[in-house]
C-alpha cells in the first residue's frame, strides 16, 4: 500500500539545475533516462517560447552535455541531454526498494517530484542518499495510498500540463504574474480553451480533496 510524497530536491550539481535557476518561469519535465556502457541520457520536455535562450543556458550547463532538440510540438519541445554529474535524480538504490515516480518537474531552484514509497524505510533511504550528496531535501506533502487509490487524484497529461504551466508562470501568484492570454500564447490555444482546461483540472483536484461520503442531509443546508 505505502504512501505518496510530494518532495523537492535541490543542488547546483543536480541535472539541469543551473538551467532551472536561470529560467525560473520555464517548466522542465523529466520524461525518462537511458543508460549505456559509457553514458546516461536524459529526455526532458520543456514548456516555453524562448527556446533560443534556454538552449544557450543548456549548452553552458555543466551538469549536462550535447543537448539536442529531438521533437517539437505546438506546446513543448523534447530535448536529449547527456548526464555529466554524479548526483542522481532518481537514485538506483532507492528505485530498487520499490520507489515509483509519478512526475518530476522543475521548481523552487531544483526539482519537484511526486513519488510513491512502498514503506517509510524507502523514504528514509532516499533522504539518506540526499544527505550523503549534500542535496537539499524537503517533503511538502505526505499522504497515504491504498490498493484502490482512494483519496488520491489523477490528472490527464493535458490537465497536468496546464496546471503546471499556470503555477510556474505565476498565474496563481498574488499579484498575478501571468494571465490566461499568456498561457494561451505559450500553448498556442485559445483563451477559452485555457479556461476550460484549468476549470476541469481544478475541479478534479477539488473533487479528490473534499469528502464525497457525506449523506444528503449532511451536505444540504438545514431549513431550521
Amino acid at each position: 500500500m505505502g504512501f505518496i510524497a510530494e518532495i523537492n530536491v535541490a543542488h547546483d550539481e543536480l541535472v539541469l539545475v543551473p538551467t532551472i535557476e536561470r529560467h525560473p518561469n520555464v517548466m522542465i519535465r523529466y520524461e525518462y533516462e537511458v543508460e549505456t556502457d559509457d553514458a546516461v541520457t536524459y529526455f526532458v520536455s520543456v514548456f516555453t517560447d524562448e527556446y533560443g535562450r534556454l538552449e544557450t543556458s543548456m549548452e553552458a550547463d555543466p551538469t549536462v552535455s550535447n543537448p539536442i532538440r529531438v521533437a517539437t510540438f505546438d506546446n513543448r519541445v523534447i530535448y536529449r541531454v547527456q548526464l555529466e554529474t554524479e548526483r542522481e535524480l532518481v537514485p538506483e538504490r532507492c528505485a530498487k526498494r520499490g520507489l515509483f515516480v509519478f512526475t518530476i518537474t522543475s521548481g523552487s531552484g531544483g526539482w519537484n517530484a511526486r513519488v510513491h514509497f512502498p514503506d517509510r524505510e524507502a523514504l528514509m533511504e532516499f533522504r539518506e542518499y540526499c544527505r550523503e550528496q549534500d542535496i537539499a531535501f524537503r517533503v511538502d506533502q505526505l499522504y497515504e495510498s491504498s490498493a484502490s487509490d482512494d483519496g488520491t487524484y489523477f490528472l490527464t497529461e493535458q490537465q497536468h500540463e496546464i496546471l503546471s504551466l499556470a503555477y510556474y508562470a505565476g498565474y496563481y501568484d498574488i499579484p498575478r504574474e501571468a494571465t490566461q492570454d499568456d498561457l494561451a500564447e505559450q500553448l498556442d490555444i485559445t483563451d477559452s480553451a485555457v479556461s476550460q482546461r484549468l476549470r476541469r483540472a481544478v475541479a478534479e483536484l477539488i473533487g479528490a480533496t473534499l469528502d464525497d461520503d457525506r449523506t444528503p442531509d449532511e451536505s444540504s443546508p438545514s431549513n431550521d
Side-chain angles (χ1 to χ4, degrees):
M1 293 177 56
F3 55 90
I4 295 173
E6 308 277 356
I7 64 175
N8 173 269
V9 290
H11 192 285
D12 288 344
E13 295 179 11
L14 269 177
V15 60
L16 288 173
V17 165
T19 298
I20 293 170
E21 291 176 334
R22 292 189 183 97
H23 303 272
N25 295 324
V26 173
M27 190 186 77
I28 302 175
R29 185 175 71 203
Y30 166 87
E31 300 294 353
Y32 65 94
E33 64 186 81
V34 177
E35 185 173 358
T36 59
D37 292 337
D38 57 352
V40 177
T41 300
Y42 272 38
F43 289 83
V44 297
S45 289
V46 176
F47 302 83
T48 182
D49 56 0
E50 299 180 350
Y51 299 116
R53 291 181 55 210
L54 182 89
E55 288 170 3
T56 298
S57 296
M58 293 173 71
E59 290 283 356
D61 193 325
T63 67
V64 297
S65 64
N66 196 30
I68 297 174
R69 189 190 298 193
V70 297
T72 302
F73 302 96
D74 289 341
N75 58 357
R76 65 168 170 157
V77 170
I78 298 177
Y79 289 94
R80 181 179 70 217
V81 297
Q82 185 170 315
L83 196 66
E84 297 293 345
T85 176
E86 295 181 356
R87 287 177 168 80
E88 299 174 272
L89 193 55
V90 182
E92 181 180 356
R93 76 191 202 192
C94 298
K96 288 180 178 179
R97 293 191 64 94
L99 172 154
F100 176 79
V101 179
F102 291 101
T103 57
I104 302 178
T105 56
S106 58
S108 301
W111 293 95
N112 295 326
R114 184 169 182 258
V115 184
H116 177 271
F117 294 92
D119 49 46
R120 191 164 295 274
E121 287 72 23
L123 176 61
M124 295 302 101
E125 178 78 13
F126 198 158
R127 185 171 67 176
E128 181 60 27
Y129 165 80
C130 291
R131 286 178 175 175
E132 292 172 357
Q133 297 294 318
D134 295 323
I135 296 171
F137 176 90
R138 184 181 74 241
V139 177
D140 293 327
Q141 292 188 49
L142 190 65
Y143 45 96
E144 291 184 355
S145 180
S146 68
S148 61
D149 291 318
D150 292 338
T152 63
Y153 58 86
F154 293 94
L155 300 176
T156 67
E157 181 177 353
Q158 192 178 76
Q159 290 170 341
H160 184 276
E161 175 187 34
I162 189 66
L163 277 183
S164 298
L165 180 61
Y167 179 80
Y168 292 115
Y171 178 78
Y172 293 108
D173 290 355
I174 302 175
R176 184 165 285 174
E177 298 292 334
T179 66
Q180 286 190 10
D181 285 339
D182 296 329
L183 302 180
E185 183 177 352
Q186 290 200 48
L187 293 173
D188 195 25
I189 59 178
T190 65
D191 178 77
S192 175
V194 168
S195 178
Q196 291 178 21
R197 291 185 189 181
L198 282 174
R199 286 202 305 270
R200 288 169 180 164
V202 171
E204 178 72 20
L205 297 182
I206 293 173
T209 302
L210 297 180
D211 182 6
D212 293 329
D213 294 328
R214 294 178 298 174
T215 65
D217 288 342
E218 292 174 324
S219 59
S220 301
S222 172
N223 292 326
D224 295 340

